[in-house]
Amino acid sequence: MITIVAGLGRCGSSLVMSMLKAGGIPLFANRQGSHEHTLTKLLPSTHEWMHQSEDCAVKILDIQIHTPPPTHEYKMIWCVRDPKQQALSMLKHKPDQLARRTSLRKKERWIIEETPKCMKIIQRLGRYLVIPFEITLKHPDTIAASLAAHLGVALDEAAMAAVVKKRSPEVYTGFLEEEL
């Protein structure tokens, strides 16, 4: 079985991957901090590598573009965030775009339009759990327990919850995952 942590950029997927790692799930990743693997960007055309990620968590952003094949058993985790905050987070290091309200509205609209496309794919691929970013920050112990129950494995839930830094769900000024 492969655990896929999916979402649209800046949704909290890196945080969920950090929680899974702390809980005892190996990660299939070659980019520290973001917990991504460059091979995921080759999906769906190149997927022969997927067998290497068995019994691991794999982060796939933009699953409507980078769709894994239906040839494996998956447990899906879909990370969501308030679309406005997510759009702000996407644009925060592009001050020229952030200053233009049209860029923010365009990103927010894109998130809202792409989410149903992603959900159709996720529902098709396997059992899924939706993880809201805001609830993860507020109740990490509950989210850790939900993740363990969804995956059906014993995880170190206290270690998972400890990864989460208590803060507001409003856009953080830096990249928090780089500071962890």
Side-chain angles (χ1 to χ4, degrees):
M1 185 211 37
I2 300 169
T3 300
I4 294 181
V5 177
L8 299 171
R10 309 303 303 157
C11 62
S13 55
S14 294
L15 177 58
V16 171
M17 290 290 281
S18 294
M19 291 176 76
L20 292 173
K21 181 179 179 184
I25 300 285
L27 305 185
F28 184 77
N30 64 0
R31 292 182 62 205
Q32 199 168 10
S34 70
H35 303 302
E36 295 176 55
H37 199 293
T38 51
L39 290 173
T40 62
K41 299 294 183 193
L42 302 176
L43 291 169
S45 59
T46 304
H47 57 81
E48 297 77 23
W49 57 268
M50 290 289 295
H51 72 278
Q52 298 173 42
S53 63
E54 284 288 336
D55 301 318
C56 295
V58 180
K59 178 178 167 180
I60 301 178
L61 294 178
D62 301 329
I63 201 164
Q64 79 283 19
I65 298 167
H66 308 291
T67 307
T71 54
H72 297 273
E73 181 184 345
Y74 303 109
K75 289 214 177 158
M76 308 296 297
I77 299 167
W78 174 245
C79 300
V80 297
R81 184 176 187 176
D82 172 78
K84 183 175 183 179
Q85 292 299 316
Q86 190 171 355
L88 280 167
S89 187
M90 287 176 170
L91 295 173
K92 68 183 171 183
H93 289 289
K94 298 178 183 179
D96 58 315
Q97 289 184 22
L98 188 55
R100 296 192 321 260
R101 284 250 185 256
T102 55
S103 294
L104 176 60
R105 284 192 298 268
K106 196 173 178 182
K107 272 291 187 204
E108 188 177 355
R109 189 169 43 252
W110 179 82
I111 293 164
I112 291 166
E113 290 171 358
E114 294 301 305
T115 295
K117 297 174 191 174
C118 295
M119 283 306 301
K120 282 183 183 177
I121 292 163
I122 287 166
Q123 290 167 346
R124 221 177 37 236
L125 287 173
R127 219 174 102 231
Y128 69 94
L129 175 67
V130 176
I131 300 291
F133 180 70
E134 297 80 5
I135 295 174
T136 304
L137 294 178
K138 193 171 185 177
H139 302 290
D141 49 340
T142 303
I143 295 298
S146 295
L147 287 165
H150 175 65
L151 297 177
V153 294
L155 297 175
D156 186 342
E157 294 175 27
M160 292 169 72
V163 166
V164 180
K165 305 297 181 213
K166 297 279 185 176
R167 68 176 186 87
S168 163
E170 302 295 311
V171 172
Y172 185 74
T173 56
F175 284 102
L176 189 60
E177 59 272 19
E178 292 175 1
E179 297 175 19
L180 300 177

